[in-house]
Amino acid sequence: MGETVISLADLRYLAPVPPIPAQPVAASGLLSDQLGRPLRDLRISVTDRCNFRCSYCMPKEVFDRDYVFLPQSSLLSFKEITRLARIFVAHGVQKIRLTGGEPLLRKGLESLVAMLAELRTPDGAALDLTLTTNGSVLARKAKALQAAGLRRVTVSLDGLDDAVFRRMNDVDFPVADVLAGIAAACDAGLGPIKVNMVVKRGTNEQEIVPMARYFRSHFGGQAVLRFIEYMDVGASNGWRMDEVLPSAQVLALLRAHWPLRALEPTVEGETAQRWAYADGVAEVGVISSVTQAFCQDCNRARLSTEGKLFMCLFASRGHDLRALLRQGHSDAEISSALGPLWAARDDRYSELRASAPAPAATAQRRVEMHYIGG
Ligand code: SAM
Ligand code: SF4
Ligand code: SF4
């Protein structure tokens, strides 16, 4: 018998359909996984497509003209997303982040925002509804998104130097247009805006201080910069530990220019460590996914573009919720199927990576970030 070769694209389909328990179980909002972690945060990828080709996420050599993205019929519709989101909210989710790929490329996204904005937690509270974007079309869309009910946005920006940024997005996209997007989002009332910079040693570390200086003195404290350690997500970015610049070094660099004061976390499970500049003009953060794992508090689930549920950013297999929707199961049945999935969750990849680096074979089986959502 010949050996079975599993291509990158095929990995997206490794997802069993969750069993429906014989007796329906009502959602209590009090789910707890194997490590005692609640379910609070749902990240929904609304498209696997993107107009950028950041080398750490969708390198051009892999995501080229021949790459097969998901067909429209595979994507969850807005109705299906909202239906699942409602079930997740009953189970305790309080925050929803739309992501991708580039979420603003999904046609009519404002309608989905409006549908999600109507959901209420069991206590009657509105959701913390947010979105992560590369900012390329944000200047055009910020107002409509805010009007539809979006609360905040996170914008990714890896440098201020135009040549460095154009090289990193690898489609020659200018910095100025992303800055215009951030400004438009501030004007539309979507602040405070988080600005995420992935730091890759040898590629953009020289941008750390200019970025900090810029965001300290612009947008009146409404744009909060966070430096993210380059992560080993997916199987196509050729990640190497020596390209990770530990957050401790980023902080040392910042401190050499400005005194900093540590801030308390604002919400449970917060990924960023926050710091205030001592002169009080702004705050800044670091996300140390590699050097200081935060799995202990991880309350996040991820829903892929085609409705697969992933319990961890580094999971190699999902659970096919779209099949449950399209097989005609009721909300009560789907909700009952969801509880045991969270209860069985024991993922803590980053903590395990810290104690023993994953063998290359494991990396081959991870899903890509643009598909499951950042
Ligand atoms: N396209 C949108 C964007 O770039 O903001 C949303 C999706 S993107 C996958 C979400 C976030 O993941 C971005 O902030 C991006 O910088 C980050 N990201 C992608 N690959 C990464 C990696 N290998 N390490 C760290 N962060 C990564
Ligand atoms: Fe696109 Fe975001 Fe990935 Fe960059 S990080 S390639 S903008 S999905
Ligand atoms: Fe959460 Fe997995 Fe990241 Fe740990 S590695 S923080 S469990 S997503």
Side-chain angles (χ1 to χ4, degrees), residues 33-345:
D33 74 5
Q34 292 290 303
L35 302 174
R37 300 170 295 190
L39 170 61
R40 294 281 177 266
D41 186 328
L42 179 65
R43 303 193 172 187
I44 304 175
S45 172
V46 293
T47 176
D48 60 341
R49 291 161 199 260
C50 187
N51 53 344
F52 283 13
R53 285 292 177 273
C54 307
S55 58
Y56 53 72
C57 178
M58 295 179 76
K60 245 184 188 161
E61 311 76 61
V62 178
F63 298 92
D64 57 10
R65 214 173 287 143
D66 296 329
Y67 184 81
V68 183
F69 287 96
L70 297 169
Q72 186 69 23
S73 59
S74 289
L75 310 192
L76 289 186
S77 69
F78 290 169
K79 249 183 160 166
E80 288 173 323
I81 292 176
T82 308
R83 194 172 157 211
L84 285 179
R86 183 176 295 112
I87 294 170
F88 274 93
V89 169
H91 273 299
V93 162
Q94 297 168 347
K95 173 174 174 180
I96 289 186
R97 176 178 296 279
L98 300 177
T99 175
E102 174 45 44
L104 297 186
L105 295 188
R106 178 86 185 247
K107 228 171 151 189
L109 192 75
E110 303 80 4
S111 316
L112 175 64
V113 168
M115 289 157 82
L116 295 174
E118 286 189 2
L119 299 181
R120 291 292 174 269
T121 68
D123 300 337
L127 298 179
D128 182 6
L129 186 55
T130 172
L131 172 149
T132 303
T133 173
N134 62 25
S136 55
V137 295
L138 187 56
R140 265 193 280 136
K141 302 214 165 196
K143 255 199 192 130
L145 289 165
Q146 194 277 339
L150 194 72
R151 294 254 186 117
R152 294 181 293 114
V153 284
T154 297
V155 181
S156 307
L157 178 62
D158 295 332
L160 267 191
D161 180 273
D162 206 43
V164 169
F165 183 62
R166 284 176 190 258
R167 233 185 350 263
M168 284 189 81
N169 62 55
D170 215 6
V171 293
D172 214 24
F173 197 88
V175 170
D177 290 14
V178 179
L179 294 176
I182 295 173
C186 276
D187 289 348
L190 289 169
I193 288 155
K194 290 175 185 160
V195 178
N196 281 352
M197 169 174 165
V198 175
V199 182
K200 226 179 142 182
R201 198 202 291 268
T203 302
N204 66 340
E205 71 213 82
Q206 70 283 12
E207 292 300 299
I208 294 171
V209 171
M211 283 281 282
R213 184 172 291 120
Y214 182 85
F215 286 101
R216 261 175 57 81
S217 57
H218 288 75
F219 307 111
Q222 283 297 292
V224 177
L225 179 60
R226 293 126 44 103
F227 297 97
I228 303 185
E229 288 176 350
Y230 169 42
M231 286 188 288
D232 48 338
V233 277
S236 57
N237 63 10
W239 183 86
R240 295 201 326 253
M241 186 64 201
D242 59 10
E243 288 179 322
V244 177
L245 188 77
S247 294
Q249 291 185 35
V250 173
L251 285 170
L253 246 178
L254 296 177
R255 280 211 182 89
H257 291 80
W258 306 279
L260 299 176
R261 179 171 53 80
L263 293 171
E264 290 297 317
T266 43
V267 285
E268 184 191 5
E270 190 163 58
T271 51
Q273 281 176 309
R274 301 163 51 238
W275 303 80
Y277 291 105
D279 59 11
V281 297
E283 73 171 73
V284 64
V286 289
I287 301 183
S288 321
S289 337
V290 178
T291 61
Q292 260 189 295
F294 35 74
C295 300
Q296 268 178 9
D297 297 323
C298 180
N299 53 21
R300 292 177 288 283
R302 292 177 158 85
L303 188 61
S304 79
T305 315
E306 51 175 353
K308 310 251 159 87
L309 177 66
F310 290 87
M311 299 301 191
C312 174
L313 188 50
F314 298 91
S316 50
R317 118 185 353 244
H319 306 274
D320 191 354
L321 300 188
R322 190 190 66 188
L324 296 183
L325 290 170
R326 296 191 183 171
Q327 284 165 5
H329 290 289
S330 67
D331 284 7
E333 285 173 328
I334 298 174
S335 173
S336 300
L338 210 57
L341 297 181
W342 188 263
R345 175 183 189 247

